[in-house]
Amino acid sequence: MMPGPARNPLHRALFVLALAGAGAALVVDSSDPGDGDFRISAVTVARWLRDGRPGLTLADLRPVAPFREYHLPQARRIGADSVIGLAAGADSGAVIVVYGSGDGQARTVARQARQAGMARVLYLRAGVDEWHDEVLTPVLHHGASARDVAAFERVAELSRYFGGRPRRLRSPEDTSATASRRSRRGCGI
C-alpha cells in the first residue's frame, strides 16, 4: 500500500493547501519579487471576464474623465481610498483587481489592502495600457517560435472576444501592427 495524503488527516489538509497554492500560482503573475503574489496580467483578467469568474470586481483607480473615455469591461470607478472598504465588505471568495494608468498607484493600493489583511486584492501589471496592448491589440512577430505562435493563438481568441484586433507581422519590416497599437482608444468598454 502506497503512503499518501489520505492516510493521515494532517497530511490530507497539507496536500489540499499545497494544491490550492499551486492553483493560485497558475493564475497570478509574481515575476517581480517585490510584489509577492498580487500582480496579475491583463490576459488572465481577460480569461476571468470571459469565463464569468464569480466574485470578480475590477476597480479602475483613474479619475472620472479617463474612466468615461475608456475602461475595462465590467470595471467600476473606485477611489483608491475606497478599495480597502470594498475588500472588507466582499465575500470570502471575491477577487478585486485594481488598475490605473500604469502600475504605480494600483500597486500601492493593492499592497496597502494586503497589509490590512485583504489577501484577494490584485493589481494589473501595467494598468489600462496593458489591457490595450496585450488583450485588444496583441502582436505576433515574424519568425516567432511554435510556442509563441500557440500562445498568440490563445490570446488572439480572447482579443477577438473583446472586440480586439490581433496582428501577425508578416516580415521584419512590417510595422502595420505596431503602428495601430495605440490607435484604438475611446471604445468605452
Side-chain angles (χ1 to χ4, degrees):
M1 176 150 67
M2 195 151 111
R7 293 189 67 189
N8 182 321
L10 176 60
H11 290 155
R12 186 178 321 127
L14 291 173
F15 180 74
V16 169
L17 286 173
L19 284 177
L26 291 174
V27 295
V28 176
D29 179 355
S30 61
S31 59
D32 182 345
D35 289 338
D37 65 345
F38 59 99
R39 184 172 77 170
I40 190 165
S41 73
V43 171
T44 298
V45 172
R47 284 187 187 115
W48 287 357
L49 284 168
R50 180 201 60 200
D51 297 344
R53 181 185 174 117
L56 177 62
T57 299
L58 300 180
D60 189 321
L61 304 175
R62 299 174 303 147
V64 173
F67 174 80
R68 285 185 180 153
E69 180 184 328
Y70 176 86
H71 58 271
L72 275 63
Q74 301 177 21
R76 300 187 325 189
R77 192 192 109 46
I78 298 174
D81 54 342
S82 301
V83 172
I84 291 178
L86 176 69
D91 294 336
S92 62
V95 174
I96 299 169
V97 176
V98 296
Y99 72 91
S101 296
D103 71 357
Q105 181 186 25
R107 179 189 316 190
T108 299
V109 167
R111 184 173 287 129
Q112 290 170 345
R114 287 189 158 245
Q115 289 170 347
M118 312 302 165
R120 295 192 169 254
V121 176
L122 309 171
Y123 78 96
L124 187 57
R125 280 194 307 210
V128 72
D129 289 338
E130 181 179 342
W131 177 267
H132 181 268
D133 294 346
E134 302 301 324
V135 175
L136 295 181
T137 59
V139 175
L140 178 66
H141 294 279
H142 173 74
S145 69
R147 182 179 173 189
D148 290 341
V149 170
F152 174 79
E153 290 303 327
R154 289 189 299 274
V155 172
E157 181 272 322
L158 278 172
S159 178
R160 288 187 287 275
Y161 178 86
F162 288 103
R165 295 178 177 214
R167 302 276 194 255
R168 289 177 179 257
L169 296 180
R170 304 283 181 221
S171 69
E173 296 81 32
D174 186 358
T175 58
S176 61
T178 55
S180 67
R181 287 178 76 98
R182 294 284 174 205
S183 65
R184 188 175 157 87
R185 287 292 198 198
C187 62
I189 56 175

